[in-house]
Protein backbone atom coordinates (compact mmCIF):
# COMPACT_ATOMS: atom_id res chain seq x y z
CA UNK A 1 0.00 0.00 0.00
CA UNK A 2 2.80 2.42 0.87
CA UNK A 3 4.65 1.67 -2.36
CA UNK A 4 1.51 2.33 -4.38
CA UNK A 5 0.95 5.54 -2.42
CA UNK A 6 4.45 6.79 -3.25
CA UNK A 7 3.84 6.20 -6.98
CA UNK A 8 0.52 8.03 -6.93
CA UNK A 9 2.13 10.94 -5.10
CA UNK A 10 4.66 11.20 -7.93
CA UNK A 11 1.80 11.21 -10.42
CA UNK A 12 0.16 13.96 -8.35
CA UNK A 13 3.01 16.30 -9.22
CA UNK A 14 1.93 15.98 -12.86
CA UNK A 15 -1.58 17.06 -11.92
CA UNK A 16 -0.71 19.97 -9.65
CA UNK A 17 2.84 21.13 -10.39
CA UNK A 18 3.30 20.79 -14.15
CA UNK A 19 0.34 23.02 -15.12
CA UNK A 20 1.79 25.82 -12.98
CA UNK A 21 5.26 25.29 -14.46
CA UNK A 22 3.83 25.59 -17.98
CA UNK A 23 1.85 28.72 -17.11
CA UNK A 24 4.45 30.61 -15.06
CA UNK A 25 7.86 29.59 -16.46
CA UNK A 26 9.32 30.89 -19.71
CA UNK A 27 10.14 28.41 -22.47
CA UNK A 28 13.79 28.29 -21.43
CA UNK A 29 12.90 27.85 -17.74
CA UNK A 30 10.50 25.05 -18.67
CA UNK A 31 13.21 23.34 -20.69
CA UNK A 32 15.64 23.66 -17.80
CA UNK A 33 13.12 22.32 -15.27
CA UNK A 34 12.10 19.35 -17.41
CA UNK A 35 15.70 18.55 -18.32
CA UNK A 36 17.12 18.82 -14.81
CA UNK A 37 15.61 15.43 -13.92
CA UNK A 38 17.54 13.89 -16.81
CA UNK A 39 20.74 15.40 -15.40
CA UNK A 40 19.94 14.14 -11.90
CA UNK A 41 19.31 10.64 -13.26
CA UNK A 42 22.66 10.85 -15.05
CA UNK A 43 24.45 11.68 -11.79
CA UNK A 44 22.60 8.89 -9.95
CA UNK A 45 24.30 6.44 -12.32
CA UNK A 46 27.22 6.87 -9.92
CA UNK A 47 25.44 4.38 -7.65
CA UNK A 48 26.07 1.82 -10.42
CA UNK A 49 23.82 -0.85 -8.96
CA UNK A 50 25.30 -0.83 -5.45
CA UNK A 51 21.89 -0.07 -3.90
CA UNK A 52 20.04 -3.27 -4.92
CA UNK A 53 23.14 -5.38 -4.20
CA UNK A 54 23.46 -3.80 -0.76
CA UNK A 55 19.83 -4.68 0.05
CA UNK A 56 20.54 -8.35 -0.74
CA UNK A 57 23.73 -8.30 1.32
CA UNK A 58 21.95 -6.87 4.37
CA UNK A 59 19.18 -9.47 3.97
CA UNK A 60 21.73 -12.31 3.89
CA UNK A 61 23.48 -11.21 7.07
CA UNK A 62 20.12 -10.55 8.74
CA UNK A 63 19.30 -14.22 8.05
CA UNK A 64 22.50 -15.28 9.82
CA UNK A 65 24.76 -15.82 6.81
CA UNK A 66 28.50 -15.37 7.24
CA UNK A 67 29.33 -15.19 3.54
CA UNK A 68 27.84 -13.51 0.46
CA UNK A 69 27.55 -15.76 -2.61
CA UNK A 70 29.29 -14.22 -5.62
CA UNK A 71 27.49 -16.18 -8.34
CA UNK A 72 24.57 -18.53 -8.95
CA UNK A 73 26.67 -21.64 -8.34
CA UNK A 74 27.61 -20.44 -4.87
CA UNK A 75 24.03 -19.35 -4.24
CA UNK A 76 22.65 -22.79 -5.14
CA UNK A 77 25.16 -24.52 -2.86
CA UNK A 78 24.43 -22.22 0.08
CA UNK A 79 22.07 -23.92 2.55
CA UNK A 80 19.87 -22.58 5.35
CA UNK A 81 20.49 -18.94 4.49
CA UNK A 82 16.89 -18.20 5.47
CA UNK A 83 17.45 -19.43 9.04
CA UNK A 84 19.40 -18.24 12.03
CA UNK A 85 19.90 -15.05 14.00
CA UNK A 86 21.28 -11.82 12.53
CA UNK A 87 25.03 -11.84 12.03
CA UNK A 88 25.71 -8.50 13.72
CA UNK A 89 29.46 -8.64 13.19
CA UNK A 90 29.06 -9.01 9.42
CA UNK A 91 26.37 -6.32 9.34
CA UNK A 92 28.80 -3.96 11.09
CA UNK A 93 31.53 -4.79 8.57
CA UNK A 94 29.08 -4.31 5.71
CA UNK A 95 28.07 -0.88 7.02
CA UNK A 96 31.64 0.38 7.42
CA UNK A 97 32.53 -0.98 3.97
CA UNK A 98 29.47 0.71 2.47
CA UNK A 99 30.47 3.99 4.13
CA UNK A 100 33.76 4.00 2.22
CA UNK A 101 32.07 2.99 -1.04
CA UNK A 102 29.38 5.67 -0.87
CA UNK A 103 31.70 8.52 0.02
CA UNK A 104 33.48 7.75 -3.25
CA UNK A 105 30.20 7.38 -5.16
CA UNK A 106 28.87 10.68 -3.77
CA UNK A 107 31.87 12.62 -5.00
CA UNK A 108 31.76 10.76 -8.30
CA UNK A 109 28.13 11.85 -8.75
CA UNK A 110 29.17 15.45 -8.17
CA UNK A 111 31.88 15.04 -10.79
CA UNK A 112 29.34 13.69 -13.29
CA UNK A 113 27.10 16.73 -12.72
CA UNK A 114 29.99 19.13 -13.11
CA UNK A 115 31.20 17.58 -16.37
CA UNK A 116 28.68 15.56 -18.38
CA UNK A 117 25.67 17.27 -16.78
CA UNK A 118 27.04 20.71 -17.53
CA UNK A 119 27.90 19.76 -21.12
CA UNK A 120 24.36 18.44 -21.69
CA UNK A 121 22.74 21.57 -20.21
CA UNK A 122 25.06 24.11 -21.81
CA UNK A 123 22.75 24.77 -24.78
CA UNK A 124 19.88 25.62 -22.42
CA UNK A 125 22.14 28.00 -20.50
CA UNK A 126 23.12 29.76 -23.73
CA UNK A 127 19.49 30.05 -24.83
CA UNK A 128 18.76 31.75 -21.49
CA UNK A 129 21.70 34.15 -22.04
CA UNK A 130 23.26 32.53 -18.98
CA UNK A 131 20.40 33.53 -16.70
CA UNK A 132 21.78 33.89 -13.16
CA UNK A 133 19.02 32.01 -11.33
CA UNK A 134 19.36 29.04 -13.71
CA UNK A 135 23.07 28.85 -12.92
CA UNK A 136 22.25 28.98 -9.21
CA UNK A 137 19.72 26.20 -9.73
CA UNK A 138 22.25 24.10 -11.63
CA UNK A 139 24.89 24.43 -8.91
CA UNK A 140 22.30 23.55 -6.25
CA UNK A 141 21.82 20.24 -8.03
CA UNK A 142 25.39 19.27 -7.09
CA UNK A 143 24.81 18.97 -3.30
CA UNK A 144 21.36 17.52 -4.02
CA UNK A 145 22.74 14.52 -5.92
CA UNK A 146 25.49 14.03 -3.32
CA UNK A 147 23.00 13.60 -0.48
CA UNK A 148 20.64 11.55 -2.66
CA UNK A 149 23.46 9.10 -3.43
CA UNK A 150 24.44 8.98 0.25
CA UNK A 151 20.79 8.29 1.12
CA UNK A 152 20.83 5.18 -1.09
CA UNK A 153 23.15 3.48 1.41
CA UNK A 154 20.88 4.11 4.37
CA UNK A 155 17.58 3.30 2.63
CA UNK A 156 19.16 0.09 1.27
CA UNK A 157 20.08 -0.91 4.80
CA UNK A 158 16.59 -0.01 5.98
CA UNK A 159 14.97 -2.19 3.32
CA UNK A 160 17.42 -5.02 3.85
CA UNK A 161 16.56 -5.01 7.56
CA UNK A 162 12.94 -5.57 6.57
CA UNK A 163 11.51 -2.05 6.87
CA UNK A 164 10.33 -1.81 3.27
CA UNK A 165 6.89 -0.36 4.06
CA UNK A 166 8.37 2.22 6.43
CA UNK A 167 10.76 3.45 3.73
CA UNK A 168 7.92 3.70 1.20
CA UNK A 169 5.70 5.49 3.73
CA UNK A 170 8.34 8.15 4.30
CA UNK A 171 8.73 8.55 0.53
CA UNK A 172 4.98 9.03 0.11
CA UNK A 173 4.82 11.58 2.94
CA UNK A 174 7.84 13.44 1.57
CA UNK A 175 6.27 13.49 -1.90
CA UNK A 176 3.08 15.06 -0.55
CA UNK A 177 5.06 17.80 1.20
CA UNK A 178 7.07 18.40 -1.99
CA UNK A 179 3.91 18.94 -4.06
CA UNK A 180 2.50 21.36 -1.47
CA UNK A 181 5.72 23.40 -1.22
CA UNK A 182 6.20 23.46 -5.00
CA UNK A 183 2.65 24.74 -5.54
CA UNK A 184 3.19 27.48 -2.93
CA UNK A 185 6.53 28.54 -4.45
CA UNK A 186 5.05 28.60 -7.95
CA UNK A 187 2.02 30.61 -6.88
CA UNK A 188 4.45 33.21 -5.53
CA UNK A 189 6.03 33.14 -9.02
CA UNK A 190 9.43 31.97 -7.79
CA UNK A 191 11.81 30.40 -10.32
CA UNK A 192 13.54 27.01 -10.64
CA UNK A 193 16.31 27.96 -8.18
CA UNK A 194 13.79 28.09 -5.33
CA UNK A 195 12.29 24.73 -6.24
CA UNK A 196 15.70 23.07 -6.44
CA UNK A 197 16.72 24.82 -3.21
CA UNK A 198 13.82 23.07 -1.51
CA UNK A 199 14.89 19.80 -3.12
CA UNK A 200 18.33 20.21 -1.48
CA UNK A 201 16.65 20.69 1.90
CA UNK A 202 14.48 17.66 1.18
CA UNK A 203 17.52 15.52 0.34
CA UNK A 204 19.13 16.49 3.65
CA UNK A 205 15.99 15.53 5.58
CA UNK A 206 15.79 12.23 3.69
CA UNK A 207 19.46 11.46 4.37
CA UNK A 208 19.31 12.19 8.11
CA UNK A 209 15.98 10.38 8.60
CA UNK A 210 17.14 7.12 7.03
CA UNK A 211 20.48 7.38 8.83
CA UNK A 212 18.70 7.95 12.16
CA UNK A 213 16.36 5.02 11.52
CA UNK A 214 19.21 2.56 10.84
CA UNK A 215 21.35 3.83 13.70
CA UNK A 216 18.40 3.47 16.06
CA UNK A 217 18.09 -0.18 15.00
CA UNK A 218 21.85 -0.62 15.56
CA UNK A 219 21.59 0.73 19.12
CA UNK A 220 18.51 -1.35 19.88
CA UNK A 221 20.19 -4.56 18.72
CA UNK A 222 23.39 -3.76 20.60
CA UNK A 223 25.50 -3.95 17.46
CA UNK A 224 29.03 -2.74 18.13
CA UNK A 225 31.10 -1.09 15.38
CA UNK A 226 34.69 -1.33 16.58
CA UNK A 227 36.45 0.11 13.52
CA UNK A 228 34.39 2.75 11.75
CA UNK A 229 36.84 2.96 8.85
CA UNK A 230 37.13 -0.81 8.39
CA UNK A 231 36.92 -1.97 4.76
CA UNK A 232 36.08 -5.66 4.32
CA UNK A 233 37.63 -6.72 1.01
CA UNK A 234 35.78 -10.07 0.91
CA UNK A 235 32.43 -8.34 1.31
CA UNK A 236 33.35 -5.81 -1.37
CA UNK A 237 34.36 -8.55 -3.83
CA UNK A 238 31.05 -10.33 -3.28
CA UNK A 239 29.07 -7.10 -3.73
CA UNK A 240 31.06 -6.00 -6.77
CA UNK A 241 30.62 -9.33 -8.60
CA UNK A 242 26.90 -8.56 -8.92
CA UNK A 243 27.08 -4.77 -8.94
CA UNK A 244 29.12 -4.26 -12.08
CA UNK A 245 26.57 -6.21 -14.14
CA UNK A 246 23.68 -4.27 -12.64
CA UNK A 247 25.59 -1.05 -13.23
CA UNK A 248 26.04 -1.80 -16.92
CA UNK A 249 22.32 -2.50 -17.25
CA UNK A 250 21.57 0.82 -15.51
CA UNK A 251 23.78 2.71 -17.94
CA UNK A 252 22.13 0.99 -20.89
CA UNK A 253 18.65 1.70 -19.57
CA UNK A 254 19.53 5.35 -19.03
CA UNK A 255 20.87 5.67 -22.57
CA UNK A 256 17.66 4.18 -23.97
CA UNK A 257 15.25 6.18 -21.80
CA UNK A 258 17.05 9.52 -21.65
CA UNK A 259 19.13 9.61 -24.82
CA UNK A 260 16.42 11.38 -26.81
CA UNK A 261 16.00 13.99 -24.05
CA UNK A 262 19.74 14.75 -24.12
CA UNK A 263 19.55 15.20 -27.90
CA UNK A 264 16.41 17.35 -27.61
CA UNK A 265 18.22 19.61 -25.11
CA UNK A 266 20.49 20.68 -27.97
CA UNK A 267 17.61 22.10 -30.06
CA UNK A 268 18.00 25.82 -30.78
CA UNK A 269 14.27 26.56 -30.37
CA UNK A 270 13.44 26.79 -26.63
CA UNK A 271 9.68 26.38 -27.15
CA UNK A 272 10.12 23.25 -29.26
CA UNK A 273 12.57 21.83 -26.72
CA UNK A 274 10.19 22.51 -23.83
CA UNK A 275 7.31 20.82 -25.67
CA UNK A 276 9.34 17.68 -26.33
CA UNK A 277 10.73 17.44 -22.79
CA UNK A 278 7.25 18.03 -21.35
CA UNK A 279 5.91 15.16 -23.46
CA UNK A 280 8.72 12.91 -22.24
CA UNK A 281 7.91 13.85 -18.64
CA UNK A 282 4.28 12.77 -19.10
CA UNK A 283 5.43 9.49 -20.67
CA UNK A 284 7.71 8.92 -17.69
CA UNK A 285 4.85 9.40 -15.22
CA UNK A 286 2.69 6.92 -17.14
CA UNK A 287 5.51 4.37 -17.40
CA UNK A 288 6.21 4.61 -13.65
CA UNK A 289 2.55 3.96 -12.85
CA UNK A 290 2.52 0.98 -15.22
CA UNK A 291 5.60 -0.45 -13.47
CA UNK A 292 4.22 0.14 -9.97
CA UNK A 293 2.86 -3.44 -9.49
CA UNK A 294 6.26 -4.89 -10.40
CA UNK A 295 8.25 -2.61 -8.10
CA UNK A 296 5.83 -2.91 -5.17
CA UNK A 297 6.17 -6.69 -5.39
Amino acid sequence: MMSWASYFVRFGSALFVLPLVIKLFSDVEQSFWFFINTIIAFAMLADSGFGPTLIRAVSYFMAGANYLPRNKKEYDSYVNVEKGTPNLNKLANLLTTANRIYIFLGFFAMLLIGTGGLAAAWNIMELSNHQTDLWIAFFLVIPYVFFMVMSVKWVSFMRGLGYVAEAARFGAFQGMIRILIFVILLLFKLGPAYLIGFMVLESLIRFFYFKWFVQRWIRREGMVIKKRNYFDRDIFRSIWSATWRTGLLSVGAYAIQSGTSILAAQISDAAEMASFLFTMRIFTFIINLARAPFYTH
Side-chain angles (χ1 to χ4, degrees), residues 60-77:
Y60 260 81
F61 292 142
M62 271 295 291
N66 53 27
Y67 177 75
L68 296 176
R70 298 183 185 181
N71 51 54
K72 189 175 185 303
K73 182 179 179 181
E74 290 186 4
Y75 172 83
D76 290 337
S77 63

Side-chain angles (χ1 to χ4, degrees), residues 33-293:
W33 178 249
F34 296 145
F35 188 60
I36 204 67
N37 286 280
T38 302
I39 297 176
I40 290 171
F42 173 67
M44 293 301 290
L45 288 175
D47 180 63
S48 301
F50 274 102
T53 310
L54 191 57
I55 294 174
R56 291 197 295 272
V58 175
S59 299
Y60 260 81
F61 292 142
M62 271 295 291
N66 53 27
Y67 177 75
L68 296 176
R70 298 183 185 181
N71 51 54
K72 189 175 185 303
K73 182 179 179 181
E74 290 186 4
Y75 172 83
D76 290 337
S77 63
Y78 208 104
V79 294
N80 295 329
V81 71
E82 74 282 358
K83 299 178 181 179
T85 57
N87 190 331
L88 297 180
N89 183 52
K90 287 294 184 180
L91 281 170
N93 292 345
L94 178 62
L95 180 58
T96 58
T97 302
N99 287 340
R100 298 275 294 275
I101 292 170
Y102 272 87
I103 284 292
F104 171 80
L105 295 178
F107 284 109
F108 183 53
M110 294 169 67
L111 178 64
L112 289 177
I113 283 288
T115 54
L118 179 59
W122 187 259
N123 181 56
I124 297 176
M125 295 303 189
E126 287 198 325
L127 289 176
S128 72
N129 293 319
H130 296 281
Q131 196 171 314
T132 302
D133 63 326
L134 292 189
W135 274 112
I136 293 172
F138 181 86
F139 284 118
L140 284 173
V141 172
I142 295 176
Y144 172 77
V145 298
F146 177 80
F147 285 106
M148 287 300 290
V149 169
M150 296 299 290
S151 297
V152 172
K153 174 188 65 180
W154 294 110
V155 73
S156 296
F157 256 85
M158 189 173 170
R159 289 170 176 162
L161 294 173
Y163 297 99
V164 178
E166 287 81 355
R169 180 176 60 195
F170 180 81
F173 175 75
Q174 193 176 40
M176 292 174 60
I177 297 297
R178 184 191 308 122
I179 292 173
L180 177 62
I181 297 299
F182 276 10
V183 168
I184 292 173
L185 293 174
L186 288 167
L187 289 176
F188 278 96
K189 298 183 178 179
L190 299 175
Y194 289 89
L195 273 62
I196 295 178
F198 173 75
M199 289 168 58
V200 175
L201 175 62
E202 187 182 44
S203 69
L204 282 168
I205 294 172
R206 177 183 174 87
F207 169 76
F208 284 112
Y209 172 77
F210 288 133
K211 180 179 180 180
W212 167 82
F213 193 100
V214 174
Q215 290 183 335
R216 185 185 64 172
W217 182 90
I218 290 172
R219 291 192 296 269
R220 189 170 63 237
E221 296 297 319
M223 191 172 90
V224 178
I225 302 176
K226 297 179 181 178
K227 299 179 180 179
R228 296 191 175 275
N229 295 321
Y230 177 70
F231 188 83
D232 192 311
R233 296 181 183 276
D234 288 334
I235 287 178
F236 176 75
R237 292 190 190 100
S238 296
I239 292 175
W240 179 244
S241 65
T243 297
W244 73 268
R245 298 179 178 86
T246 308
L248 285 178
L249 290 174
S250 299
V251 172
Y254 176 83
I256 293 170
Q257 296 171 6
S258 303
T260 51
S261 294
I262 294 174
L263 292 174
Q266 313 313 312
I267 296 173
S268 58
D269 186 328
E272 187 176 358
M273 183 197 307
S275 297
F276 181 88
L277 294 175
F278 169 75
T279 305
M280 292 301 294
R281 175 66 71 88
I282 296 299
F283 285 167
T284 300
F285 279 122
I286 295 171
I287 289 170
N288 285 338
L289 279 178
R291 290 173 175 170

